[in-house]
Every structure is written in C-alpha cells, then in structure tokens.
Amino acid sequence: MKGSVLVVVLILVTVSLIIPLYFEGFVALGENQLKRFSSYEQLRNFVRESAYNARGGSLDVFTLSPLKSNAESSTILSPDYSKTNIQVEGVDEADIVKTDGEYIYVVSGRNVTILKAYPPEEAEIISQITLDVAGTIKGIFVNGNKMVIFESVYDPQIYYATLEAPVKSYSYYGAYDKTLIRVYDISDRASPSLARNVTLDGYYFDSRMIGDYVYAVINEYVYANETWVSLPKIYSNGEVEEIDAREIYYTPAPVSDYFSVYASVVAVNVQNDAQEPTRKTILLGTTSNIFVSMNNIYITFQAYGGEIRTSSPVQVLRVDEWGTTISRVHIENGEIEVGPSGHVPGNVLNQFSMDEYNGYFRIATTTWNWEGNLNHVYVLNMNLEIVGRLENIAPRENIHSARFMGNRCYLVTFKKIDPLFVIDLSTPSDPVILGKLEIPGYSDYLHPYDENHIIGVGK
C-alpha cells in the first residue's frame, strides 16, 4: 500500500443498523471422495497425459489480537500481550514475529533473534539462531519451550535420471526445492538447541499450528517420461522415505490447466521429538489458497475450462468455465485423512474468502465473462457438494475483501464505489443479502472487532 492513503472504517454490523481428466481407475464424476492410484504406471500415465493436454497493495500485521470469528470459544486472552493476527481461534499462523509475553522472537534474514521483552527494564538480546543453509525463513511458531522454523531452499539445476536404460538418457530442467521444518528446544532461551529437523521435497506453501502439532502444505512439481515419474520424499531422523505411488490421491480436474503438482500435508509433533511425522499426498494443480479450521484443511487450485475424462463410467464431459477445485483433508491430533473434493465456479481471492461453520464450508468467488465480472457466495456440505448459492452479486466489480463471521458473510466489491455487502447464511440452502453500505474507495481487509463491529482497512 506504499503511496496510498489508508482509510480505516468502523462499521456497525448489527442487522438493525445495516443500510439497505481417460485413465483406468480414474474417479467418476459425481464421486467426491478422492481415490488413490492403483499403481506406479497409472500415476506416470496420468501425469504424462495431463502435461500433454496442458500444453495445447499490502499491510503486514504481526501483533493484532485474535478475535472470535468462526469457532465458538470461551478462551480468554491474556491482557498483558497480543498475539499473531489469526483467522480461526485456536489455529495459529506462522509469522516473522512472535511473542509469549516475556520474550519476542524475530526473523531477520537467515537469523532468528530472541529478545527479553518483559519486564521492560530487563529488555535485551538473549540469543540468535543463524541457519546453516542458504535458504529463506518463511515463518516461525512458538509452542511453550519449543520453536518451529520453516525454511525454503531453492537450487536450480539439471536433473538426470539414474535408472535403467532408456531412462538414463532422459533429462529435464527443474527446480530443486526443499522445505525444512526445524524444531528448537528453547527452554534455555540463551542457548537454543536443535531438537529435530524434518525435510521434505517441494516448496513451502503455508502452515498452521493446532495444539502440539504443526501442519504444513508443501507443493512439488511432478515430472515423468514413458517409464519414469518423480515421487515425493521425506527426510527425518537420518532416514529417507519415498512415497509409494499407491499412497498418492488424485482428483478429477479440467486437464487443459492441469499443471501436475504434489500437494503434501505433513504433521509434526512439536513437543514429542520421537514421534514420526505423518503425511498425505494429493496430485493436484498448483495450490492457490488454503483455509484451515480446527479439524480440516481445505486446499484450492484454479481449474480452467476443458475436458474431464472418466472411466467409471466412461465419459468425456466439458467444463466451459474456469473455477476452483477444493480438496478437504481431515486433521486431528497429528492424524491426517484425505476427504472429498468439490468444485465451484470462479476464482478465490484469498484465505479470508473461505470459512467453515456448523458443518458447512462457505466460499466467495469471482467469475469473468464478456459482460464483466460477477461475484458469488456458495455453501457446501462436508462432502463438498453445493447446497446453497447466492450468485451474480455486484456485476462488473471485483471482490476486494471478504470475511465470514458465524452466520454472516461480509463482502467488499469495488469498481468505483465501495459496497459492503452483509449476507445472511443462517439458512445454508438460502443465502440472502441483508443490506449494503456504499462509501468511496474500498477495503482490502476486514477484521472482526466484536460481535457488533467490523473494521475495514483499505484505500
């Protein structure tokens, strides 16, 4: 938002004051539950065919208090210090600055510095962790006397397969990406020690922490030829594990934009270093966003118009509009279970355009056509089937911010005037616009203040 004027608008939102793919074993369309590949060969063929078809202003906030939004909670925050700004109560988000009220943990370059912050007269630098790998720190978590550091390492190079002929002569140019999950013991803040290092192939997308577990979504591009396909690996406690092709899930998608990517969800116990990490992998398109509730991770990717081919039953179906494919992954105490997949029209702006509440997943999207933009809100059940919809909101405008709070959705669209839409979702099958407020400019971000107020930050 450099060079822009920030406008902070406090709006009362009580209702009374609102102004008016053809492969054997492929999932059949209509079967939302994701299935696993039956063999290495099926995975390889799937990737090769998909690749063939595919060819034809910001504000950083680090210490805002988390407020109740999607989950009912009786947790009372300590008045002594604020925490990372989060979307869902109980679901922590990685950041470059963390505090526990007594110490502050700050990321700067390849260093994480621990500072004594309270009491203020004792403020000083206590220690500094300097990473030994030339990567990028993506964020940190603090969990009692443990600190988690996520690091991405990128090294472009030529890969040569070392398998039997004729694969030996095969080469491809790729990017060597690894994600390092380092867990440090910080019980002695003056002398942090590395407790464990879990490393995965692929690049870090995002992460959350729930209780003693951190969950991360790691993306990895897939390569294949006639006899070979790359498989993801995980490195932990000096051991290397290659994921079996039969353990990889897949989803039907419009193949004209099927850029094959392994999306892996990994869970690491922060407090128990002896517990091995768990992991599930889905073959998807490129991840665009994630939303995480206390028990589910929703992974989205954009899917363009094209053919979806199925074999059970055999059919070729045409999808004429681009949209968003959603995969739900259930998480609980480090256990991961791949759930169903669904699809909605349109593109998702960011994580705040998604939400889970009372057994329903809600999502706001924007579609484009020759007449202009259209905006929509969809309500899906836990099988990711659409059960309610409110479409064609604010024609020829874009969604600039969204926020779900309980039975309400707040939506800001913009072209010339900033309408704030308030949408009632109390009946999931029948969303209704309650009212709208028009003001100059627009809000890029909406933050719940309390049950009756929401704050918009924008231009």
Side-chain angles (χ1 to χ4, degrees), residues 2 10 64 114 145 214 273 364 424 447 451:
K2 185 177 181 180
L10 187 63
L64 289 181
I114 302 177
N145 287 323
V214 291
D273 300 329
D424 182 8
H447 191 86
E451 291 182 356

Side-chain angles (χ1 to χ4, degrees), residues 42-251:
Q42 184 194 0
L43 167 61
R44 180 198 63 215
N45 292 339
F46 184 94
V47 172
R48 292 186 66 248
E49 182 71 12
S50 296
Y52 175 82
N53 284 278
R55 294 189 194 101
S58 70
L59 177 67
D60 293 327
V61 181
F62 302 120
T63 57
L64 289 181
S65 298
L67 299 162
K68 294 200 315 183
S69 57
N70 306 320
E72 293 298 325
S73 173
S74 60
T75 301
I76 299 176
L77 300 179
S78 167
D80 298 328
Y81 67 99
S82 58
K83 299 180 181 179
T84 299
N85 177 33
I86 59 175
Q87 183 177 7
V88 177
E89 183 68 24
V91 183
D92 197 8
E93 303 189 24
D95 211 333
I96 61 171
V97 178
K98 290 285 186 180
T99 182
D100 55 16
E102 184 177 359
Y103 298 92
I104 298 176
Y105 312 83
V106 182
V107 174
S108 178
R110 292 171 53 222
N111 303 315
V112 179
T113 303
I114 302 177
L115 306 96
K116 176 79 169 178
Y118 186 86
E121 58 270 17
E122 298 179 11
E124 63 175 329
I125 294 176
I126 300 297
S127 61
Q128 187 174 79
I129 299 171
T130 300
L131 300 186
D132 56 358
V133 177
T136 301
I137 298 177
K138 309 301 289 188
I140 61 174
F141 289 105
V142 175
N143 188 320
N145 287 323
K146 292 292 183 69
M147 179 169 60
V148 184
I149 302 177
F150 287 91
E151 182 184 12
S152 285
V153 178
Y154 173 77
D155 181 18
Q157 59 181 276
I158 299 293
Y159 279 85
Y160 294 95
T162 57
L163 306 178
E164 296 181 0
V167 181
K168 283 185 177 181
S169 62
Y170 177 75
S171 67
Y172 62 92
Y173 182 81
Y176 180 63
D177 293 283
K178 287 189 183 297
T179 297
L180 283 65
I181 307 175
R182 303 173 186 256
V183 181
Y184 283 85
D185 185 338
I186 56 171
S187 52
D188 181 358
R189 266 44 174 199
S191 183
S193 60
L194 182 63
R196 71 187 304 185
N197 183 359
V198 177
T199 302
L200 301 96
D201 286 344
Y203 59 91
Y204 171 91
F205 184 81
D206 210 343
S207 62
R208 300 289 189 270
M209 183 172 69
I210 303 173
D212 291 341
Y213 293 88
V214 291
Y215 300 88
V217 176
I218 311 299
N219 283 184
E220 179 185 358
Y221 290 106
V222 188
Y223 298 90
N225 65 4
E226 291 80 1
T227 59
W228 171 84
V229 61
S230 60
L231 293 170
K233 299 180 182 67
I234 183 169
Y235 312 78
S236 178
N237 297 326
E239 301 292 329
V240 181
E241 177 189 357
E242 185 176 71
I243 305 303
D244 192 305
R246 294 169 296 181
E247 295 299 317
I248 296 175
Y249 295 80
Y250 60 100
T251 176

Side-chain angles (χ1 to χ4, degrees), residues 33 163 172 180 283 356 371 392 448 454:
Q33 193 69 30
L163 306 178
Y172 62 92
L180 283 65
L283 183 64
E356 178 195 295
E371 294 179 331
N392 305 334
I454 192 164

Side-chain angles (χ1 to χ4, degrees), residues 399-412:
I399 294 177
H400 276 259
S401 58
R403 195 77 186 224
F404 292 86
M405 295 170 58
N407 284 321
R408 296 285 187 268
C409 170
Y410 301 93
L411 207 61
V412 171

